Structures are given as structure tokens and as C-alpha cells.
Amino acid sequence: MEQNELTEYMNAAVRNLAVNVGSSNMREKLFLLAFRRFVGNAAGLRSASEEQGEHIPSFLIASITNSCNLFCKGCYARANGLCGETEKKLLTAGQWGSVFSQAQDMGVSFCLLAGGEPLMRRDVIEKAASYRRIVFPVFTNGTMIDDEYCRFFNAHRNIVPVMSIEGDREHTDGRRGNGTYDKLSAAAERLHRRGILWGASVTLTTENIDEVTSADFTDSLYKNGARVVFFIEYVPAVPGTEKLAPGEKERTLLEERQDVLRKRYKDMVLLAFPGDEKYLGGCLAGGRAFFHINPYGGAEPCPFSPHSDCNVAESSLKEVLNSPLFSALREHHLTGTEHSGGCALFEQEEQVRALASAVMQEDA
């Protein structure tokens, strides 16, 4: 699939999703139709900025908390120190509201909320819901999706729960803890019963890739109401887990099966990261198409490259996009270059670390 084909696929999937939601779920249909208009307006804002020499990414990743109720094997957030006890001060809901407001005004269409477990920050989730021109996929472990949260999602369709699932009970519980699969199944049933659009985030490893890219697994998600699937390659942030990271063989399998699944499920969005980046001109991090904000406000190239030289509590999003670190990543061609698969910045961690250190020394 070429770059223009990927873009058209995404546009067509959203159109089909809006058409096929069904008249019995008018709330979702009306939101999707409105969001198609918002996306067009946001693209216009970004184009206008581009003409003025300012590049605006189409989405952000915001890790809104450092707390989590699970201890998943191989968790990059705990490995990077993003998740866990610390004396650092978390951004307040008001500060996150300022970030979301700036993002909406700049033409950002999607803001992925992560953590830790983002549903533990109900105050931030509620703040996000008020920015209707942005869709907020909430990457959650799913264990906190109770009836109360379902009522909230039902009332605020721009907040889209994306539950982490690793395949069957054995793979999911093996990574996330006993009983997690059953909790996810119960959450999916609650969401589906209310006609709430939800998504799945599937961490691809060498152990589960054959199962989770199968038509049977995707069909089970679809029948339970999932309409978005993110295939995320496992990144071995925890030493000793390198054998779980997909290689060229697994990436080829994913690409072949994803093409088949996209043709089969016309009203479902299936995206792979970082695999699909190669159709978008290379690594998208560092402000090229997104950047990451950690729970303390530090602006980082991406979650797997936790280096920062500025904070959104002190700098505007536009200032962040032109920070010395992000500028240096572009100048040294560590983002936006030829992409063969895998996480580009993680695989070039030594270079990124050296660059970040040099930038910090210059600022000192």
C-alpha cells in the first residue's frame, strides 16, 4: 500500500463507518458525520499554518498519569520510569485543558490519551470531553470500564475507549495478569450493548502475531463492536525481552494479513505502528505527525524516546514543535527518513540520547 492509498483507505474507512453505524445508533452516526467536517476544517488550519512556514502535526500522544492498576510484563512505561511513584508534579486537569485547547485551535484532530492507566484521571478525561473537535482515543487496559464510565462514553462520543488485548485468554492474562481477559470481555459487552464505538490495541509479539492477525480474531472483535484496531509492535524496552520483538518475517506477515482484513472489513479502521509509517515518509515522531507529552508536561519525540528539553506548562505547543531537540532530530534525519520497520528512534537510541545531551548542554 502506497502513501496516497493509505490516506484514501483511512478516509474511506471513516466514511463507511459513519454510513454503516445504523439508524438505531443515531448518536454515534451524528457525531461521526460531524467529525468528518471537523477533520476537513482541521486540515485547512494545518494547511494555512504550513503556508506560513509552521508545520502542525495531526495528532498528539498525551500520557496523563503515571499510575496504573496493573503490572504488565514488558511495560515500556514502567521501564522508562514514566509509570510509578515519583516526586515529580503531575500536570493538573486545567493545564491539560490548555494543551487540548491549543491543539484544537491549531488543527490537531486526534489526541491519544495514555498512561499509566488514563481512566484513573477522570478529571482530565472530563476536561478532554469538552473539546468536541478532537477525538480522544483512550488507550486503557479496560479493567475500569464499568457502567458509570459507559454512561460517560455514551454522553461524550469524542472519547473513544481503546482496550489493550493480546489475543486469547492465555496471551492476554499471561501478559496483563489473571482475570484480565474476562474483565475485558465484560467491558466489551457493556460498550457494545450501549452502541458505543470502541477500539482494540493489540501488542504484536513473535508469540501472538499469528493469532491476532487472523480473520477469526478480528471477526470476534468486530462482532463485539470494535471498529478500530491498532497493531502495535512490541518494543523491547525491558532487557531480556528482545526475542518478543517482531522481525522482518513477522512484519511481512502483518502487512499481508492487514491488506486482507482491510478489504474484508470496509467499515473498520486497521492501523499498524510503526509499520504504516513507511508509507508516510518515515518516522512520524518529534512533531512530524505527532509528539508525546509525559504526565509531568515534558514534551518528548515519542513514548519510546523519553527525552525532553521543554515543558508544556512553560511553553506553548507551537514553541514545543520548534524546540531545539525536535529541530535537531529533523536536521540529523532521525525522523522522516527511509523506514524499513521497527521503531526508528528506539533503534537509534544512542544517537538520540547523545543529541538530547548536546542540546541540553547548549541550553545550560
Side-chain angles (χ1 to χ4, degrees):
M1 181 179 284
E2 300 298 330
Q3 179 173 340
N4 61 338
E5 292 178 307
L6 178 60
T7 301
E8 177 53 33
Y9 160 73
M10 294 173 66
N11 290 337
V14 172
R15 286 195 301 270
N16 290 333
L17 190 55
V19 170
N20 293 309
V21 161
S23 58
S24 61
N25 192 357
M26 190 56 65
R27 189 190 294 259
E28 193 72 66
K29 180 182 286 289
L30 290 174
F31 171 72
L32 288 170
L33 291 172
F35 185 65
R36 286 178 58 192
R37 184 175 70 254
F38 297 156
V39 168
N41 293 339
L45 289 173
R46 297 196 303 274
S47 294
S49 295
E50 204 77 42
E51 292 176 1
Q52 300 298 318
E54 290 183 315
H55 177 70
I56 305 298
S58 54
F59 66 98
L60 302 177
I61 303 176
S63 291
I64 60 177
T65 182
N66 64 343
S67 299
C68 187
N69 59 333
L70 296 184
F71 288 81
C72 302
K73 293 179 181 178
C75 176
Y76 77 87
R78 290 194 186 278
N80 290 341
L82 178 68
C83 187
E85 295 299 323
T86 179
E87 295 181 356
K88 294 181 181 180
K89 188 175 180 180
L90 297 173
L91 288 186
T92 66
Q95 288 173 315
W96 280 116
S98 175
V99 169
F100 302 150
S101 178
Q102 292 177 66
Q104 183 171 267
D105 291 344
M106 291 163 57
V108 173
S109 297
F110 301 90
C111 184
L112 283 60
L113 302 183
E117 171 48 54
L119 294 186
M120 297 181 80
R121 285 296 303 271
R122 178 66 179 257
D123 56 339
V124 180
I125 300 291
E126 290 179 350
K127 181 68 69 173
S130 63
Y131 296 92
R132 301 285 297 171
R133 285 179 283 154
I134 297 178
V135 163
F136 294 88
V138 182
F139 282 70
T140 170
N141 60 42
T143 62
M144 295 182 67
I145 299 180
D146 53 13
D147 288 336
E148 182 180 351
Y149 251 125
C150 283
R151 285 191 289 271
F152 179 83
F153 295 141
N154 189 45
H156 304 92
R157 294 293 171 136
N158 64 322
I159 307 295
V160 180
V162 177
M163 296 192 292
S164 298
I165 186 167
E166 316 305 331
D168 60 14
R169 178 180 282 101
E170 179 183 359
H171 283 119
T172 299
D173 286 1
R175 182 167 189 233
R176 300 186 178 274
N178 291 336
T180 303
Y181 182 86
D182 288 338
K183 291 178 181 178
L184 285 171
S185 298
E189 194 277 330
R190 289 190 188 98
L191 294 167
H192 191 34
R193 188 172 66 245
R194 292 169 172 82
I196 298 170
L197 185 150
W198 63 277
S201 173
V202 184
T203 302
L204 295 173
T205 71
T206 54
E207 294 180 345
N208 73 350
I209 189 167
D210 187 59
E211 178 197 349
V212 297
T213 59
S214 69
D216 286 345
F217 178 72
T218 307
D219 198 51
S220 68
L221 293 176
Y222 187 88
K223 288 178 178 178
N224 280 304
R227 291 297 180 269
V228 182
V229 178
F230 293 90
F231 292 115
I232 312 294
E233 288 185 25
Y234 178 76
V235 175
V238 176
T241 63
E242 290 80 7
K243 67 178 183 179
L244 296 176
E248 191 57 35
K249 174 185 174 182
E250 288 78 19
R251 294 190 188 106
T252 300
L253 175 65
L254 170 62
E255 189 162 350
E256 291 173 349
R257 290 194 175 179
Q258 190 171 237
D259 283 344
V260 173
L261 294 172
R262 282 171 170 168
K263 292 173 183 175
R264 178 170 177 172
Y265 299 95
K266 299 294 186 182
D267 59 338
M268 197 175 198
V269 181
L270 298 105
L271 296 173
F273 289 100
D276 283 334
E277 287 185 336
K278 65 181 180 181
Y279 300 115
L280 299 170
C283 178
L284 302 175
R288 183 167 173 265
F290 72 90
F291 66 90
H292 176 239
I293 303 173
N294 68 34
Y296 324 109
E300 303 170 344
C302 88
F304 297 111
S305 187
H307 305 284
S308 177
D309 66 339
C310 59
N311 193 292
V312 297
E314 302 162 350
S315 305
S316 70
L317 293 190
K318 288 190 175 181
E319 289 172 333
V320 166
L321 288 169
N322 294 299
S323 72
L325 176 58
F326 286 8
S327 298
L329 288 173
R330 292 190 291 268
E331 290 169 6
H332 286 76
H333 305 294
L334 294 180
T335 62
T337 54
E338 189 70 23
H339 198 293
S340 60
C343 180
L345 292 186
F346 182 81
E347 292 173 357
Q348 301 177 91
E349 175 61 18
E350 290 187 10
Q351 291 176 263
V352 176
R353 186 185 295 113
L355 198 59
S357 178
V359 166
M360 297 298 287
Q361 288 178 7
E362 290 179 4
D363 291 344

